[in-house]
Amino acid sequence: KQEVTQIPAALSVPEGENLVLNCSFTDSAIYNLQWFRQDPGKGLTSLLLIQSSQREQTSGRLNASLDKSSGRSTLYIAASQPGDSATYLCAVTGNQFYFGTGTSLTVIP
Amino acid sequence: SAVISQKPSRDICQRGTSLTIQCQVDSQVTMMFWYRQQPGQSLTLIATANQGSEATYESGFVIDKFPISRPNLTFSTLTVSNMSPEDSSIYLCSAGTASNTGELFFGEGSRLTVL
């Protein structure tokens, strides 16, 4: 069974820093990988979708990479802002969607 | 992209009662799912809502406890039956336009507290 792990579980950084969130998965036979943001008590907002044939996707200050062979993805956030504070989840798609446990990010003004 | 509306956004219920959560998508989608997210946890898939037929439930979830309807391509309901405090969670509706390669979208969630 696919297992998705996100490290670290929590991260606190000062405003303006660049940061990297990590996602690893055990089965490389995936169709795509998706990064989400979740604010407390709310639903998930899709940030980036990377198809299995792609290596990276970019949206604004966000850049996500995918290395299927090593079972890893990273989400890079440039010039972090307090509004980036949220929980970030990754999900991989095999025969169903498998979610990681999330990284709780706090950006300190 | 798809915009998903869920209601209620939150509710406080008494033990033993049932609550139905509605999910409306603004476009026709192939896949609709219901997830549960318990406090501090990641998402757990309850079931896949199938249009016009019985939902496909994951291990640990049964139709008697979580009946699901999906009468058309844009609407689904999840009922949490005979609630207990252990059912207190956020329930999330999600939808996608393709079985495996498409993007997954979520509603705002329904936060349920059972007293």
Side-chain angles (χ1 to χ4, degrees), chain A residues 31-32 34 36 38 40-49 51 89 93-102, chain B residues 9-10 31 33 35 37 40-43 45 58 90 92 98-109 111:
Chain A
Y31 291 101
N32 63 41
Q34 195 168 350
F36 296 90
Q38 185 176 31
K42 299 291 188 180
L44 278 66
T45 300
S46 177
L47 297 174
L48 289 165
L49 172 71
Q51 299 292 351
L89 295 102
T93 308
N95 56 2
Q96 63 168 280
F97 296 90
Y98 298 91
F99 284 83
T101 48
Chain B
S9 58
R10 59 176 59 225
M31 315 288 286
F33 307 95
Y35 287 86
Q37 187 178 33
Q41 304 290 316
S42 189
L43 280 69
L45 180 64
E58 297 300 306
I90 297 175
L92 294 153
S99 59
N100 293 315
T101 59
E103 195 169 359
L104 196 61
F105 300 94
F106 281 83
E108 281 293 297
R111 179 186 285 273

Side-chain angles (χ1 to χ4, degrees), chain A residues 5-89:
Chain A
T5 305
Q6 291 186 247
I7 294 173
L11 181 63
S12 184
V13 300
E15 181 177 2
E17 268 203 12
N18 304 324
L19 59 101
V20 174
L21 307 180
N22 297 293
C23 172
S24 61
F25 46 95
T26 54
D27 185 351
S28 62
I30 64 170
Y31 291 101
N32 63 41
L33 185 144
Q34 195 168 350
W35 281 93
F36 296 90
R37 168 189 173 133
Q38 185 176 31
D39 293 293
K42 299 291 188 180
L44 278 66
T45 300
S46 177
L47 297 174
L48 289 165
L49 172 71
I50 311 176
Q51 299 292 351
S52 62
S53 58
Q54 298 175 318
R55 295 295 295 242
E56 66 177 341
Q57 282 286 335
T58 298
S59 176
R61 294 182 295 109
L62 305 180
N63 176 275
S65 68
L66 174 63
D67 184 341
K68 263 184 57 174
S69 61
S70 67
R72 296 186 180 194
S73 176
T74 60
L75 178 66
Y76 174 82
I77 302 177
S80 58
Q81 303 172 356
D84 295 330
S85 298
T87 296
Y88 291 81
L89 295 102

